[in-house]
């Protein structure tokens, strides 16, 4: 699937970019279908990598949709092309945000969820750059619109971010203060953020600061977990936390005692 998007270039002309998303992998629920979660991979990865992991989790009531990001030049890699949900030059609060890329990826996720049955709870999760898009999707849901002003029309019931960060953090507080409805939605949306203290790719301080910024902006149903010695990868202790959290927050059948 492709999305056309327009942005202002270095001059006054408007240029258009088309984002060609890769293959989507789906893990069907082994039990009664109660929730659907789009799970987003990290920089340079693909949907199949995470679909193989998610298939092994003891969550029989969840359908997992694992899309693959477009292949695009990435400034962080000196312009080398690889799969990426958006362009990024550096991971810091002061770095410019690729709003066009973020909006295109968040819209792709929303489109994948839009055809799910009405009684199914919907969520977005991801790792690293994928986690950044998941959290960005949460802010779009709460504000009711994408960064470009187009309406965001999917109701989300859970957000999970592993080893990620919050894009557009500098403008979030301002936007939240303008809307009572946004504050109400933020307080009700469950978010789980996990980060390793030994992460040398997306430093722990970025994950911690993202959680603090979201909490200060009114996301009160937020859980932040840190893991000693964990680098930029996942471990069974972390995936167990995700399983328990999703089972409780989405009220899935077969909750483990």
């Amino acid at each position: 699937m492709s999305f056309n998007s327009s942005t202002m270039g270095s001059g006054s002309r408007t240029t258009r970019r088309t984002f060609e998303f890769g293959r989507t992998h789906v893990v069907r629920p082994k039990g009664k279908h109660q929730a659907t979660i789009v799970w987003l991979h990290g920089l340079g990865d693909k949907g199949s990598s995470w679909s193989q992991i998610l298939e092994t989790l003891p969550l029989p009531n969840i359908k997992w949709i694992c899309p693959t990001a477009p292949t695009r030049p990435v400034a962080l890699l000196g312009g080398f092309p690889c799969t990426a949900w958006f362009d990024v030059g550096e991971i810091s609060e002061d770095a410019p945000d690729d709003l066009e890329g973020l909006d295109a990826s968040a819209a792709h996720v929303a489109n994948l969820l839009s055809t799910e049955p009405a009684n199914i709870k919907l969520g977005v999760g991801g790792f690293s750059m994928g986690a950044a898009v998941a959290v960005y999707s949460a802010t779009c849901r709460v504000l009711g619109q994408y960064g470009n002003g187009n309406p965001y029309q999917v109701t989300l019931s859970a957000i999970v971010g592993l080893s990620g960060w919050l894009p557009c953090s500098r403008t979030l507080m301002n936007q939240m203060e303008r809307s009572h409805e946004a504050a109400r939605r933020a307080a009700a949306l469950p978010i789980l953020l996990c980060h390793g203290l030994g992460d040398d790719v997306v430093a722990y301080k970025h994950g911690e600061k993202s959680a603090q910024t979201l909490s200060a902006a009114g996301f009160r149903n937020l859980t932040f977990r840190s893991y000693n010695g964990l680098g930029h990868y996942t471990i069974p202790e972390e995936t167990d936390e995700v399983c328990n959290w999703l089972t409780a927050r989405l009220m899935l059948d077969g909750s483990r005692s």
Side-chain angles (χ1 to χ4, degrees):
M1 177 173 292
S2 65
F3 283 89
N4 285 319
S5 192
S6 63
T7 184
M8 295 306 293
S10 56
S12 60
R13 294 181 182 178
T14 298
T15 58
R16 296 184 71 82
R17 286 193 286 169
T18 300
F19 299 95
E20 293 289 344
F21 290 85
R23 185 177 172 190
T24 297
H25 299 261
V26 177
V27 179
R28 304 283 175 191
K30 298 177 179 69
K32 179 186 176 185
H33 184 197
Q34 294 179 294
T36 296
I37 297 176
V38 172
W39 190 271
L40 305 169
H41 62 74
L43 180 65
D45 205 354
K46 54 189 177 182
S48 59
S49 299
W50 277 95
S51 69
Q52 293 167 21
I53 295 170
L54 297 169
E55 195 165 18
T56 68
L57 299 184
L59 293 168
N61 307 113
I62 295 181
K63 171 184 174 181
W64 300 95
I65 302 176
C66 304
T68 299
T71 297
R72 56 189 300 159
V74 178
L76 186 66
L77 305 178
F80 184 81
C82 70
T83 52
W85 299 110
F86 55 94
D87 191 19
V88 59
E90 61 174 312
I91 299 167
S92 84
E93 289 201 350
D94 300 320
D97 291 297
D98 174 20
L99 203 57
E100 182 188 13
L102 284 161
D103 278 347
S105 289
H108 185 61
V109 170
N111 186 64
L112 290 170
L113 290 171
S114 66
T115 55
E116 292 299 294
N119 64 328
I120 299 300
K121 294 174 182 176
L122 308 176
V124 187
F127 174 78
S128 191
M129 176 179 266
V133 175
V135 177
Y136 181 72
S137 296
T139 64
C140 292
R141 158 60 187 157
V142 162
L143 294 167
Q145 63 181 32
Y146 296 95
N148 60 17
N150 290 339
Y152 188 91
Q153 297 175 318
V154 174
T155 299
L156 300 176
S157 298
I159 301 292
V160 179
L162 310 183
S163 308
W165 71 95
L166 168 65
C168 306
S169 61
R170 289 162 296 177
T171 58
L172 179 61
M173 194 74 77
N174 243 4
Q175 293 172 300
M176 289 294 297
E177 287 170 351
R178 294 187 216 139
S179 169
H180 291 298
E181 179 64 15
R184 185 190 67 78
R185 288 178 178 173
L189 179 57
I191 300 178
L192 173 65
L193 301 180
C194 303
H195 219 106
L197 287 160
D199 196 326
D200 58 353
V201 178
V202 180
Y204 174 80
K205 66 179 181 181
H206 295 309
E208 184 179 44
K209 184 65 188 294
S210 295
Q212 291 169 350
T213 301
L214 286 165
S215 294
F219 289 81
R220 294 175 188 162
N221 198 350
L222 185 148
T223 303
F224 181 69
R225 292 281 185 263
S226 58
Y227 301 86
N228 285 322
L230 177 62
H232 199 62
Y233 48 86
T234 190
I235 52 173
E237 182 186 353
E238 187 179 47
T239 53
D240 285 350
E241 179 93 38
V242 170
C243 290
N244 291 333
W245 186 87
L246 284 172
T247 298
R249 293 302 182 280
L250 296 176
M251 296 179 287
L252 303 175
D253 290 348
S255 298
R256 292 182 292 172
S257 57

